[in-house]
Amino acid sequence: MIRIVGLAAFLMLAACSGEAPLAPTPKASAAPDLESAAIASGVIADPANTDMTGLYARDTDRVCVVPDRLNYRIGAFVDYGDQQNCSGSGTVTRVGEALHITFAAAPGCDFDARFEGDRIVFPGRMPQACEKLCGQRASFAALDVRRLSDSVSEAATLRDSKRRMLCALGG
């Protein structure tokens, strides 16, 4: 009981001490997200300041992007062997990290992909019209490629299994 009375007396004295309460400390600025921190430190390229021109690949998957008169041309090729492949070319426009891709040979095959500075990622679900560009069970869904080269001339040489150039210059 003496402890409780002593504690109460101490609290009352502290409350009446005449000192102003401590001002709240300003909040620390919000920590940047992991991607922003990696961009700031140079660990990864800033997609907003990176030209998307180049040749991208992963295993047997390939994507080329070359400048065109007003925008860019894109070609994509995936090959699972045994005539299970996809091949398409068309146009790509970019807004920030979003790439809007339209494959010319398959009306309705237009979709948004992500550009991450040195990587292009297609969506996990593709429009049904894109199936026209694929044989058997192959698909462009979730295509994920990394930049091999930023050379326009290298990108322009990408060919599919029928030897068609997907990003030919001047065409």
Side-chain angles (χ1 to χ4, degrees), residues 53-55 63-69 71-76 88-91 151-160 163-171:
T53 298
L55 179 63
V63 171
C64 56
V65 179
V66 297
D68 200 3
R69 289 178 206 101
N71 292 305
Y72 289 85
R73 286 196 315 273
I74 188 168
S89 60
T91 60
S151 167
V152 173
S153 59
E154 282 186 65
T157 64
L158 180 63
R159 295 177 185 263
D160 66 9
R163 310 288 301 149
R164 293 178 294 212
M165 295 185 77
L166 300 177
C167 286
L169 293 174

Side-chain angles (χ1 to χ4, degrees), residues 95-117:
V95 177
E97 291 184 11
L99 300 178
H100 184 73
I101 299 170
T102 302
F103 284 132
C109 182
D110 58 322
F111 55 93
D112 291 331
R114 281 190 340 263
F115 177 64
E116 299 176 354

Side-chain angles (χ1 to χ4, degrees), residues 3 6 8 10 12 31 34 46 60-62 83 87 95 97 100 102 122 136 142 146 151 159:
R3 284 187 183 168
F10 174 74
M12 287 193 319
L34 203 51
D46 182 355
T60 58
D61 303 339
R62 302 280 186 268
Q83 297 178 344
S87 175
V95 177
E97 291 184 11
H100 184 73
T102 302
F122 283 20
Q136 297 182 18
R146 294 195 177 273
S151 167
R159 295 177 185 263

Side-chain angles (χ1 to χ4, degrees), residues 23-143:
T25 57
K27 290 185 179 180
S29 62
D33 62 40
L34 203 51
E35 183 177 6
S36 297
I39 289 169
S41 67
V43 172
I44 61 173
D46 182 355
N49 297 324
T50 304
D51 182 21
M52 63 182 168
T53 298
L55 179 63
Y56 299 76
R58 182 174 187 184
D59 297 326
T60 58
D61 303 339
R62 302 280 186 268
V63 171
C64 56
V65 179
V66 297
D68 200 3
R69 289 178 206 101
L70 300 175
N71 292 305
Y72 289 85
R73 286 196 315 273
I74 188 168
F77 176 62
V78 296
D79 187 6
Y80 302 123
D82 295 327
Q83 297 178 344
Q84 294 186 60
N85 59 53
C86 298
S87 175
S89 60
T91 60
V92 58
T93 55
R94 176 178 167 196
V95 177
E97 291 184 11
L99 300 178
H100 184 73
I101 299 170
T102 302
F103 284 132
C109 182
D110 58 322
F111 55 93
D112 291 331
R114 281 190 340 263
F115 177 64
E116 299 176 354
D118 63 347
R119 185 174 164 214
I120 295 175
V121 182
F122 283 20
R125 292 189 133 191
M126 298 292 291
Q128 188 172 2
C130 297
E131 291 177 12
K132 239 172 123 172
L133 303 172
C134 299
Q136 297 182 18
R137 295 179 295 167
S139 172
F140 281 126
L143 174 66

